[in-house]
Amino acid sequence: MSEDSQRNFRSVYYEKVGFRGVEEKKSLEILLKDDRLDIEKLCTFSQRFPLPSMYRILVWKVLLGILPPHQESHSIMMEYRREQYQDVHHALQVIRFISETTPKIEVFLLMYHLETGKLSQCQPYPMEPEDDCFLAIASTMEEIVDDDVDCYWLIRNFVNHLDSKFKDSKLQLHKAFEHYLSLEDSRLVAHLKASSALEKLPYDLWFKKCFAGCLSASSLQRAWDKLVSGSCKILVFVAVEILLTYKLKVMALNNSERINTFLEKIPEDNTDSIVSKAIDLWHKHCGIPAHSI
């Protein structure tokens, strides 16, 4: 039996006896033992499988460029990141932009603006539309990450990752959403068009904020695995699956405002299922990376 066949056999066996993901976890641990981490293979793993929670932050930090591929440099680099965080944080205290009562996500936003040269001297601090997206993402990231330094750098580089990697792709997400929803349920698309709701769906919440504030952080982090590793289109399939999951509710609403209001605040008790089915849809329509793990 070939190595791949043995691996597939073991994976099926583990799933049947309730240990789904055991083989995948072992595969990731092998990748993480390399002195120089293979970014391509880590991306491929993250595209194919959910990241184990115990390794998620490390993998994200490597894929987002917070840590270098060479593991021997990780401790030194994180010390540098911590010092930079403290310097920027202290600078904001000195110029009295933040205090002990400033909400943490707002502190992160001001730190980001100071670092990128966008800090306004106006008080109270004026908020731009993109700041709302930053704060939403920061709020979700804060639920996922315990350490403040890790949290700030992950937010910062996640936002930069979206802007640099997906700036052009994000413009196509609306069309892709309609295309794939039509393939899955054309009657639902027809209803949305008849209700004048298709163009008024909460696209900014879905695509600019990457569902931060819409889905629970514990569910959303599995979709963000795909984003961090290079797939912007996963957002499309999360949106498609939300519509499919709540098809009966949406079909019963004939007013675009009521449809939009409902979709902005969907029940949180079903978000795990939505993300799991969205990932299945994503694999169904986009395939699975074939790179050997």
Side-chain angles (χ1 to χ4, degrees):
M1 186 181 292
S2 70
E3 183 177 345
D4 284 344
S5 297
Q6 289 179 333
R7 182 187 179 285
N8 291 335
F9 173 80
R10 289 197 302 270
S11 294
V12 171
Y13 171 75
Y14 282 130
E15 288 190 17
K16 284 184 176 180
V17 297
F19 290 96
R20 184 178 181 181
V22 170
E23 279 290 282
E24 285 72 22
K25 180 173 177 286
K26 288 181 179 179
S27 296
L28 180 59
E29 288 174 345
I30 291 171
L31 291 179
L32 294 176
K33 286 180 180 179
D34 291 341
D35 293 333
R36 188 184 190 284
L37 299 176
D38 190 315
I39 301 299
E40 183 183 353
K41 287 185 178 180
L42 284 176
C43 283
T44 302
F45 182 95
S46 301
Q47 297 271 298
R48 295 183 67 182
F49 310 111
L51 288 170
S53 57
M54 64 186 299
Y55 296 122
R56 175 170 281 114
I57 303 306
L58 171 60
V59 173
W60 281 12
K61 284 161 70 173
V62 172
L63 295 186
L64 291 173
I66 299 165
L67 290 175
H70 293 90
Q71 295 216 54
E72 61 182 15
S73 303
H74 283 189
S75 59
I76 296 174
M77 180 56 72
M78 278 315 300
E79 184 59 33
Y80 168 75
R81 299 293 190 195
R82 189 170 297 277
E83 289 176 1
Q84 189 173 348
Y85 173 93
Q86 292 169 347
D87 288 345
V88 177
H89 190 278
H90 179 66
L92 288 172
Q93 290 177 318
V94 170
I95 61 177
R96 298 181 180 179
F97 265 65
I98 62 172
S99 66
E100 292 183 358
T101 61
T102 306
K104 193 178 297 181
I105 60 173
E106 292 183 19
V107 173
F108 292 155
L109 174 64
L110 293 171
M111 289 176 65
Y112 180 69
H113 280 183
L114 181 58
E115 278 201 290
T116 55
K118 299 177 182 177
L119 189 67
S120 170
Q121 295 183 4
C122 299
Q123 292 283 13
Y125 195 78
M127 290 290 179
E128 300 293 336
E130 58 267 24
D131 295 338
D132 192 37
C133 295
F134 183 101
L135 291 172
I137 290 170
S139 182
T140 293
M141 192 71 78
E142 189 182 15
E143 293 186 54
I144 298 171
V145 187
D146 294 328
D147 182 82
D148 287 353
V149 176
D150 282 349
C151 189
Y152 170 68
W153 281 100
L154 283 165
I155 296 164
R156 176 188 184 278
N157 283 32
F158 184 84
V159 169
N160 287 341
H161 178 69
L162 294 176
D163 289 340
S164 62
K165 296 286 187 181
F166 305 137
K167 188 172 184 179
D168 294 332
S169 299
K170 284 192 288 188
L171 300 176
Q172 305 299 321
L173 296 183
H174 295 203
K175 293 181 180 178
F177 164 74
E178 182 178 346
H179 169 71
Y180 289 111
L181 184 59
S182 294
L183 293 179
E184 293 296 321
D185 197 319
S186 58
R187 288 183 63 246
L188 184 52
V189 173
H191 174 74
L192 292 172
K193 288 182 177 179
S195 304
S196 301
L198 189 60
E199 294 302 319
K200 298 179 182 179
L201 295 176
Y203 292 117
D204 283 354
L205 173 63
W206 291 351
F207 301 149
K208 289 185 179 180
K209 297 181 182 178
C210 304
F211 294 93
C214 178
L215 302 181
S216 68
S218 60
S219 304
L220 190 53
Q221 61 189 350
R222 292 188 293 125
W224 282 10
D225 288 344
K226 315 308 178 189
L227 264 179
V228 169
S229 57
S231 174
C232 187
K233 196 172 280 187
I234 185 63
L235 298 175
V236 169
F237 292 102
V238 175
V240 168
E241 185 53 44
I242 287 174
L243 266 298
L244 295 177
T245 298
Y246 294 106
K247 172 183 175 178
L248 295 179
K249 175 70 173 180
V250 171
M251 293 287 281
L253 299 173
N254 295 315
N255 181 284
S256 63
E257 291 184 6
R258 293 175 65 192
I259 292 174
N260 192 70
T261 299
F262 171 74
L263 293 175
E264 284 181 346
K265 293 292 182 181
I266 63 173
E268 286 198 5
D269 58 357
N270 207 23
T271 58
D272 276 345
S273 174
I274 287 172
V275 172
S276 295
K277 291 178 180 178
I279 292 172
D280 289 341
L281 274 180
W282 174 66
H283 285 312
K284 169 185 171 183
H285 289 286
C286 299
I288 300 176
H291 195 290
S292 177
I293 297 296

